[in-house]
Amino acid sequence: MDFAELAALASGHAEARAIQTALKLGIFDMLEQSPLDDAALAAAISANRRAMALIANAMVALGLLDKRAQRYSLTEAARRYLLRSSPEYLGGLILFDEAFFQTWTNLEQTIRTGLPARPTDMFQSRPEETERFIRAMDSLTRARGDAAYVAGRLDLSKVSTIADIGGGPGTYTVAMLRRWPHLRATIYDLPATLEVARKILAEREPASLARIDLVRFDYLYDEIPSRCGALFMSNIIHSEDETDNAQVMRKCFRALEPGGLIIIKDHIMNADLTEPKAGAIFALYLLMATRGRDYSFDEVSRWLGDAGFADIKHEVLPSPPFTSSMVIARKPL
């Protein structure tokens, strides 16, 4: 690593904050229909013209805006990922990171004490936090294409019902229902999350709601109430500790029909917990906001094996664009 690379890493917060602020101000949406100059952009939101020009120029430097004849327009990347009207809108995640930014100032204290920097409530305590978090998860999954890829990799042709544990906005569930028209699904999640999920599904996938049951459920305390042919969990195990994850695997085993599949999608780390890089960095988010961390395949495989699962396989998703893996196992007949 040379000086330039290290300096860019160490100052990366500046670029992140600039993008977050530009998105929050609505600069990209203002340019959806036609190019505008700094005066028009500033007037639209009653901002300072000089300051608006500086942040717009920064977006040009970052490749998110073009500037010609003193007028700004969207680049292809901005039109694809930063417009609310785009099906690949990443803004939900960016605005979540913007709200979470203050938590990063407590990282040193968290390292010293090992204690989270915020309540480990999975953003359930305040409705605005719940909605921001769930829309962020939906935004990331849609922008990166995870759900369609995962649905295409799974063979659910002989499965009639799938349970999505901690399914959040239902992004993966909808993709599986599209891929497998015979399938019915249940999303099991906390009450505040299900309120947001219902809203998102009604906005974007109203036809799918007829094939989805939304069930209030806490995987730490509740038994999965219905038998299913497959069970899916995305980004769940990293929020919990080893003891709770082992218990959840036993619950999943009991809920599956003989021969049923469990699919776990997450950052599955190497034995040293240093790769993939995205997982190692993400572990700091988890340290500040959850009881968990990222786990290795050996750890996940041990929980599954102890619960009774067989045929345990690890499939690494192509990187880029993906940064995670799937662990797939079967309940013996």
Side-chain angles (χ1 to χ4, degrees):
M1 180 181 297
D2 61 19
F3 165 80
E5 292 172 309
L6 178 57
L9 287 174
S11 64
H13 64 282
E15 287 90 342
R17 290 297 283 154
I19 294 169
Q20 292 161 9
T21 301
L23 188 72
K24 196 173 183 182
L25 289 171
I27 290 174
F28 303 105
D29 286 327
M30 284 189 278
L31 295 169
E32 181 173 7
Q33 299 303 322
S34 62
L36 297 171
D37 62 16
D38 53 24
L41 288 170
I45 58 169
S46 301
N48 178 272
R49 179 177 177 179
R50 174 177 174 274
M52 176 61 75
L54 292 176
I55 194 168
N57 288 341
M59 294 303 101
V60 174
L62 293 175
L64 298 175
L65 295 182
D66 285 326
K67 184 179 183 181
R68 296 178 183 175
Q70 303 305 310
R71 301 174 80 199
Y72 300 94
S73 61
L74 299 171
T75 62
E76 181 180 349
R79 191 169 290 280
R80 183 175 181 182
Y81 296 118
L82 299 177
L83 288 180
R84 292 179 185 274
S85 60
S86 171
E88 296 174 279
Y89 177 62
L90 187 60
L93 180 68
I94 294 171
L95 293 176
F96 171 77
D97 279 335
E98 192 271 341
F100 193 83
F101 192 83
Q102 185 63 34
T103 307
W104 281 103
T105 64
N106 300 310
L107 179 59
E108 179 183 352
Q109 182 68 11
T110 293
I111 298 296
R112 291 184 182 278
T113 64
L115 299 175
R118 56 155 289 123
T120 58
D121 62 354
M122 294 309 296
F123 305 94
Q124 294 290 302
S125 300
R126 298 168 58 194
E128 64 272 21
E129 283 197 347
T130 305
E131 181 143 4
R132 186 187 300 119
F133 174 61
I134 298 304
R135 287 192 180 276
M137 299 305 99
D138 175 59
S139 174
L140 172 62
T141 302
R142 289 192 297 118
R144 198 167 54 194
D146 298 46
Y149 182 86
V150 167
R153 294 292 298 173
L154 298 175
D155 182 3
L156 302 177
S157 59
K158 298 179 181 179
V159 174
S160 60
T161 57
I162 186 165
D164 191 346
I165 306 298
T171 319
Y172 288 98
T173 299
V174 168
M176 292 180 208
L177 294 182
R178 284 179 180 164
R179 175 67 181 84
W180 303 102
H182 70 283
L183 198 61
R184 283 196 60 87
T186 303
I187 297 174
Y188 292 100
D189 216 317
L190 298 170
T193 292
L194 292 180
E195 290 299 314
V196 181
R198 194 182 306 277
K199 186 187 302 185
I200 291 174
L201 290 168
E203 290 170 0
R204 194 178 301 126
E205 299 289 342
S208 297
L209 276 171
R211 297 164 60 197
I212 301 172
D213 295 316
L214 301 176
V215 176
R216 295 185 174 197
F217 177 77
D218 187 328
Y219 55 72
L220 293 179
Y221 304 105
D222 300 331
E223 199 74 21
I224 301 169
S226 301
R227 282 291 185 99
C228 55
L231 193 150
F232 181 76
M233 296 181 3
S234 174
N235 297 337
I236 297 300
I237 61 172
H238 67 220
S239 296
E240 310 302 338
D241 64 22
E242 293 91 333
T243 300
D244 285 336
N245 281 324
Q247 176 182 282
V248 170
M249 296 308 127
R250 292 192 292 271
K251 290 181 179 182
C252 292
F253 186 85
R254 291 192 290 270
L256 278 170
E257 299 167 355
L261 288 175
I262 182 171
I263 305 107
I264 299 170
K265 180 188 168 294
D266 216 303
H267 287 126
I268 305 299
M269 305 298 290
N270 65 358
D272 290 333
L273 304 180
T274 57
E275 294 288 342
K277 180 174 71 173
I281 301 302
F282 184 65
L284 298 176
Y285 275 94
L286 301 177
L287 177 66
M288 291 187 289
T290 76
R291 297 179 293 269
R293 61 175 173 85
D294 287 319
Y295 296 97
S296 69
F297 173 67
D298 288 343
E299 291 172 298
V300 179
S301 180
R302 183 172 65 251
W303 303 331
L304 290 168
D306 289 347
F309 286 99
D311 302 325
I312 304 168
K313 299 181 176 65
H314 181 201
E315 179 176 341
V316 179
L317 276 61
S319 178
F322 309 112
T323 60
S324 55
S325 304
M326 289 193 294
V327 177
I328 303 173
R330 186 178 297 278
K331 180 176 180 175
L333 293 170

